[in-house]
């Protein structure tokens, strides 16, 4: 049986909350009791605590027409007013909202809430001048610059749902998203900085709009790099439009259920799903979770979420959650190794960052680069670390706490999805005894269960099942844009209409902690035994020579599926493995290591040592492509890869003789 709580020294550690931390933590144990006693009343109280309503609501949840929920439906509010105006009105206009750090060294600026206030008003007026009003959709295709937040908030100010498309997506992907949402205006930039160089964005917009028919009438272009760019009649410079626009703008209150944004995410079919979110319910849970899980304290913290604004994490935990809470945050434009591998730690040191929220893939990359890099910086300001996006293996969790958190900070592993809008399962840093590698419990107000194949809930430890959410929550998706049937079918049919099917495998441990085990399509069945790719990856990464691992289940005539692993070695092990005969020996050692950690059944049939893994630009490993290689198929669509040459290298390695 696996024992994921043991790190490579075979040490099992849990971390009770530090009493000093607990004494001032926002997330307290009594929240669990309050939510348990009155689920809807609890959420209504959060909605009143965290938000300012122009028309107070009297209705809570309406679940009379599942799976279509409404929350606080007769209330009215404006998301931009909540995120910006009210902080200025309360006298905190001089507080820094964003410490912007551009990728080129020295290119940084601070933006106060008062400055943000002026910009969102001007931008709202500029959009209104282009005919944008309540209910019109606006596509945003920008690098990680403050204008991205300004653009989103300006849309919210007008009641115009935004659809942010990640700047790494191609023109084709942008085109289909623009047309699906029928966006009238696109907000983009000439380019941004990546890996030390300007990288153009506007040409992709031009190509996306180069079709006979388009819903887009105007394009606003932020000048970021200053490089030459082709110009069309529909284009206007953002700075000129804002200069011309009036500096004050009255925000438009909208009903709580008015869609705040659409965000496309990939599903099992080729067509991306336009997940859309409400205003009141979404904002309530984004702000509440940012307070109780990230434990932000407005007057003392400097918060940094490293996500890109193009993903839901950037929406909920750069823009809507933290700004509604009025915090000061860092926004960084570029990559972690520009100009060198210490860049993030330099930023933490310079801005005395107190809370850092990032993805496990980043943590494992830093592990690969070595602990001596962060050790050169003063990271003593950090008091909380967070993780999101994929399971964080205990080894990476412990490294993160020890090396980045100075053996001092809590690490919160937060499980949620684009669809859930905000954090759902996570420790509360002032309450929970932390179990490295586990997201642990649903937060107060959230209910989850694990179901078996027949849809029966169970709590048996170590038995793998499907994670479901059993009660509506305020920030739940309100649907798939323009496709209510697909919404029902994808999320509310697998186990019947009362269970939201998350698509993730999960299990309990003996202490009742929930372990997320990756997408269910990543759960393998080897000789009738269920194995999680995440579990085997965790075992591999717990080996001292392994930096990163990706596991796929490849079809196998005898066993149904077989485990195929792709591993990146730590720097010190690379040279060693190149010695004659050593590569084979190492592969054998790793296979035995997995067998020892989990059981002989989990022993990978094949382990391929690779230099890189295929990752999307947001850092997710594309297991689908690895599966193609492992199953000897032509490799599928590689257009969303950050570096498409990676697959060629891996295929070459695969063609070389395999281990036994
Ligand atoms: C995975 C990102 C394990 C999961 C916020 C989910 C996680 C998908 C975790 C959603 C976590 C996210 N532990 N797995 N802490 N967080 N996931 O929509 O498979 O980009 O279904 O939202 O990421 O990814 P999405």
């Amino acid at each position: 049986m696996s024992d994921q709580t043991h790190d490579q020294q075979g040490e099992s550690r849990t971390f009770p909350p530090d009493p000093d931390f607990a004494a001032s933590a926002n997330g307290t144990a009594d929240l669990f009791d309050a939510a348990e006693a009155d689920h809807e009343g609890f959420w209504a109280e959060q909605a009143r605590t965290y938000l300012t309503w122009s028309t107070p609501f009297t209705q809570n949840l309406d679940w009379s027409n599942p799976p279509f929920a409404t929350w606080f439906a007769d209330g009215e509010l404006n998301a931009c007013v909540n995120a910006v105006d009210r902080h200025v009105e309360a006298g905190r206009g001089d507080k820094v909202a964003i410490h912007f750090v551009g990728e080129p060294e020295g290119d940084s600026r601070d933006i106060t809430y008062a400055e943000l206030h002026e910009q969102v008003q001007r931008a709202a007026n500029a959009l209104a001048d282009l005919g944008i009003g309540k209910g019109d959709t606006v596509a945003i295709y920008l690098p990680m610059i403050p204008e991205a937040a300004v653009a989103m908030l300006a849309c919210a100010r007008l009641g115009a749902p935004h659809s942010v498309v990640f700047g790494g997506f191609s023109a084709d992907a942008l085109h289909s998203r623009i047309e699906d949402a029928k966006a009238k205006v696109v907000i983009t930039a000439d380019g941004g900085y990546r890996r030390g160089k300007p990288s153009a964005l506007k040409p992709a917009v031009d190509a996306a709009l180069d079709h006979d028919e388009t819903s887009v009438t105007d394009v606003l272009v932020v000048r970021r790099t200053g490089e030459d760019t082709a110009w069309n009649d529909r284009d206007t410079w953002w700075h000129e439009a804002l200069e011309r626009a009036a500096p004050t703008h009255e925000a438009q209150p909208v009903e709580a259920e008015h869609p705040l944004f659409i965000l496309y995410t990939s599903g099992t079919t080729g067509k991306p799903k336009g997940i859309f979110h409400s205003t009141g319910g979404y904002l309530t849970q984004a702000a509440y979770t940012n307070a109780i899980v990230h434990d932000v304290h407005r007057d003392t913290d400097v918060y940094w979420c490293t996500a890109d604004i193009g993903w839901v994490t950037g929406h909920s935990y750069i823009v809507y959650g933290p700004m509604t809470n009025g915090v000061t945050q860092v926004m960084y434009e570029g990559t972690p190794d520009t100009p060198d591998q210490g860049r993030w730690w330099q930023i933490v040191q310079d801005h005395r960052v107190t809370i850092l929220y990032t993805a496990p893939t980043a943590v494992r990359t830093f592990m690969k680069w070595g602990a001596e890099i962060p050790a050169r910086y003063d990271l003593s300001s950090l008091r909380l670390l967070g993780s999101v996006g994929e399971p964080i293996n205990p080894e990476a969790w412990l490294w993160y706490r020890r090396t980045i958190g100075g053996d001092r900070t809590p690490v919160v592993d937060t499980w949620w999805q684009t669809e859930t809008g905000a954090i759902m399962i996570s420790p509360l840093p002032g309450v929970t005894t932390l179990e490295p590698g586990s997201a642990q419990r649903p937060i107060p107000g959230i209910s989850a269960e694990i179901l078996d194949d027949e849809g029966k809930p169970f709590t048996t430890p170590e038995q793998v099942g499907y994670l479901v959410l059993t009660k509506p929550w305020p920030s739940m998706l309100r649907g798939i844009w323009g496709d209510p049937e697909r919404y029902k079918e994808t999320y509310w049919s697998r186990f019947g209409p009362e269970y939201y099917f998350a698509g993730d495998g999960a299990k309990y441990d003996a202490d009742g902690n929930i372990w997320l085990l990756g997408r269910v399509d990543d759960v393998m069945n080897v000789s009738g035994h269920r194995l999680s790719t995440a579990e085997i990856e965790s075992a591999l990464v717990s080996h001292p020579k392994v930096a990163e691992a990706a596991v796929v289940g490849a079809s196998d005539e005898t066993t149904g599926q077989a485990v195929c692993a792709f591993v990146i070695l730590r720097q010190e092990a690379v040279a060693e493995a190149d010695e004659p005969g050593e590569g084979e020996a190492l592969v054998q050692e790793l296979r035995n290591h997995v067998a020892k950690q989990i059981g002989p059944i989990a022993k990978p049939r094949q382990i391929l040592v690779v230099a890189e893994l295929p990752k999307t630009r947001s850092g997710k490993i594309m297991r689908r492509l690895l599966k193609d290689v492992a199953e000897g198929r032509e490799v599928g669509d590689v257009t969303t890869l950050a570096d498409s040459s990676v697959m060629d290298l891996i295929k070459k390695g695969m063609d070389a003789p395999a281990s036994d």
Side-chain angles (χ1 to χ4, degrees), residues 525-527 553-564 605 631:
N525 191 321
V526 179
S527 306
S555 57
D556 184 282
E557 268 179 21
T558 329
T559 57
Q561 284 188 309
V563 180
C564 286
R605 180 183 71 185
E631 297 184 346

Side-chain angles (χ1 to χ4, degrees), residues 313 388-391 413-418 504 516 519 620:
T313 307
V388 57
E390 48 172 325
D413 174 16
T414 63
W415 178 89
W416 58 293
Q417 309 175 300
T418 303
D504 275 311
L516 277 311
R519 302 294 304 184
K620 278 216 165 80

Side-chain angles (χ1 to χ4, degrees), residues 379-380 382 385 398-409:
L379 306 181
S380 63
L382 288 169
L385 303 175
L398 288 162
W399 187 92
Y400 192 24
R401 183 182 190 279
R402 188 169 53 238
T403 311
I404 306 305
D407 233 341
R408 179 185 74 241
T409 64

Side-chain angles (χ1 to χ4, degrees), residues 634-656:
E634 203 54 51
V635 174
D637 184 7
V638 295
T639 49
T640 53
L641 278 184
D643 177 359
S644 54
S645 64
V646 168
M647 285 317 298
D648 296 331
L649 283 175
I650 292 177
K651 268 182 65 179
K652 266 195 211 123
M654 198 74 185
D655 295 335

Side-chain angles (χ1 to χ4, degrees), residues 222-401:
V222 176
R223 193 163 64 199
R224 168 69 185 134
T225 62
E227 297 215 304
D228 282 346
T229 184
W231 208 251
N232 308 295
D233 290 345
R234 61 176 174 247
D235 302 339
T236 308
W237 284 111
W238 165 270
H239 62 274
E240 289 178 359
L242 263 64
E243 262 160 41
R244 275 200 302 272
T248 58
H249 174 270
E250 192 155 340
Q252 157 108 39
V254 297
E255 316 81 73
E257 282 299 316
H258 187 69
L260 179 61
F261 65 84
I262 310 168
L263 188 56
Y264 286 85
T265 183
S266 46
T268 44
T269 70
K271 187 173 160 22
K273 301 176 283 196
I275 303 300
F276 70 95
H277 281 284
S278 72
T279 302
Y282 169 80
L283 209 58
T284 297
Q285 198 173 327
Y288 159 78
T289 48
N290 177 241
I292 67 158
V293 176
H294 298 125
D295 194 47
V296 295
H297 287 66
R298 188 185 63 206
D299 297 329
T300 44
D301 277 315
V302 178
Y303 165 92
W304 183 17
C305 165
T306 67
D308 192 280
I309 214 116
W311 308 115
V312 74
T313 307
H315 284 56
S316 301
Y317 298 114
I318 295 176
V319 180
Y320 291 110
M323 291 194 183
T324 297
N325 290 330
V327 311
T328 295
Q329 67 179 309
V330 167
M331 180 190 250
Y332 173 54
E333 178 185 29
T335 49
D337 51 355
T338 308
D340 58 56
Q341 296 174 341
R343 187 70 193 268
W344 278 25
W345 317 121
Q346 181 75 52
I347 294 171
V348 169
Q349 174 177 296
D350 289 351
H351 290 286
R352 307 291 299 153
V353 171
T354 59
I355 300 167
L356 180 69
Y357 190 40
T358 193
T361 183
V363 175
R364 290 192 299 264
T365 301
F366 294 126
M367 284 174 79
K368 186 170 73 176
W369 291 345
E372 65 282 2
I373 294 170
R376 290 184 203 128
Y377 299 86
D378 175 7
L379 306 181
S380 63
S381 54
L382 288 169
R383 65 176 197 88
L384 176 89
L385 303 175
S387 172
V388 57
E390 48 172 325
I392 179 162
N393 47 296
E395 179 67 12
W397 193 107
L398 288 162
W399 187 92
Y400 192 24
R401 183 182 190 279

